[in-house]
Amino acid sequence: KENKKLRHVKREMEKKFLFNFEKNRKAVSEVVVMVVMIALVISISAIVFTMTKKTVEEKIKKSEACGPNIIGKLSINSEYVCYDSVKDEIVFSINRGEIELDKLIIAIETETEVKKFEMIEGVEGGIDNLLLYPNRETDVMLPAKNSGRTYIATGFSEPVIGIKIIPVINEEQCEVADSLNEITDCKLTTIF
C-alpha cells in the first residue's frame, strides 16, 4: 500500500514537474518571440531610416538651393524677345538679380525639337549657335548679378514657340525659373 502511495506521489510530482516545465517552456517561447519581434521591428526601422535619410537630405539640399529665395531673381525680359524667320534665329534677353548660379540652362523650343544651351558662371567662351547681341560676339557669358544681357540663338529651321530658363544652384538643377510661350516675329517689333 505504501508503495502504491509512493508511486502515486511520484507520478503526481512528475505531472507537476512536466506541467511546470511546459508552462515555463511556453513562457520562455513567448519571451523569445517577443525579443525576435522587437529585433525585427528595430531592423526594419533602421533600414527604412537609412533609405529615407538620403532622399530627405537630397530634398533639403535642393530646397535650400532652389527655394523661394530665387523667385523673381532670374527672368526673361519679354520686351526683348523675338524670332527672326529670315535668319532662323531668336533674340532673347535675360535679367539676373542678386542670385548665385553655378550655371544657367536655356531651353528653346520649336514644334519638333528643343535646343539647350548651358552657360557656366564665370566661364566666358564659345557656345555653338549662341551669340551676344548686337555685335554677334561668340564669347558668351551669364549676365552679372543685378544686370541683364541679350543673346542670339541661331540655327532654327522652324519658328520658335517657347523659351525657358533653368538655374543650377549648388549643383542642383532647379525648376524652370521663367518661361515665355509667345514669341513675336522680329518684323513686327520696332526694338530690333
Side-chain angles (χ1 to χ4, degrees), residues 13-67:
M13 286 179 69
E14 285 175 353
K15 281 183 185 177
K16 278 186 180 180
F17 174 77
L18 287 174
F19 176 75
N20 285 337
F21 178 77
E22 285 296 316
K23 188 177 173 184
N24 287 339
R25 195 173 83 181
K26 285 181 183 178
V28 168
S29 295
E30 289 175 5
V31 169
V32 169
V33 167
M34 187 61 71
V35 168
V36 169
M37 294 273 288
I38 290 170
L40 188 62
V41 167
I42 290 172
S43 299
I44 290 171
S45 299
I47 291 168
V48 169
F49 175 77
T50 303
M51 290 172 52
T52 58
K53 181 182 177 197
K54 185 175 180 181
T55 304
V56 169
E57 286 173 346
E58 288 171 0
K59 296 284 183 184
I60 289 171
K61 183 179 175 186
K62 187 169 185 171
S63 70
E64 287 173 349
C66 302

Side-chain angles (χ1 to χ4, degrees), residues 43-176:
S43 299
I44 290 171
S45 299
I47 291 168
V48 169
F49 175 77
T50 303
M51 290 172 52
T52 58
K53 181 182 177 197
K54 185 175 180 181
T55 304
V56 169
E57 286 173 346
E58 288 171 0
K59 296 284 183 184
I60 289 171
K61 183 179 175 186
K62 187 169 185 171
S63 70
E64 287 173 349
C66 302
N69 59 336
I70 69 166
I71 295 173
K73 293 185 179 175
L74 197 59
S75 62
I76 300 168
N77 187 343
S78 61
E79 292 179 32
Y80 296 98
V81 176
C82 71
Y83 175 72
D84 187 336
S85 56
V86 175
K87 296 180 181 177
D88 291 331
E89 58 190 28
I90 181 173
V91 179
F92 61 95
S93 182
I94 297 174
N95 291 333
R96 177 180 178 183
E98 188 68 33
I99 183 173
E100 293 291 332
L101 293 174
D102 292 342
K103 66 181 171 181
L104 182 65
I105 300 168
I106 301 157
I108 300 176
E109 301 173 66
T110 66
E111 288 289 337
T112 60
E113 69 176 328
V114 176
K115 283 189 179 183
K116 290 186 178 181
F117 304 94
E118 290 187 8
M119 289 188 282
I120 299 171
E121 179 68 43
V123 176
E124 182 177 337
I127 298 174
D128 289 344
N129 298 320
L130 192 62
L131 308 166
L132 282 175
Y133 178 86
N135 300 333
R136 305 179 78 82
E137 296 172 30
T138 57
D139 286 339
V140 294
M141 62 183 351
L142 282 168
K145 288 182 184 177
N146 298 313
S147 68
R149 186 162 279 157
T150 304
Y151 304 92
I152 304 166
T154 63
F156 295 94
S157 57
E158 56 188 340
V160 172
I161 59 171
I163 182 170
K164 297 176 182 172
I165 54 173
I166 304 141
V168 176
I169 302 169
N170 295 334
E171 300 176 9
E172 294 291 332
Q173 182 174 321
C174 303
E175 299 297 320
V176 173

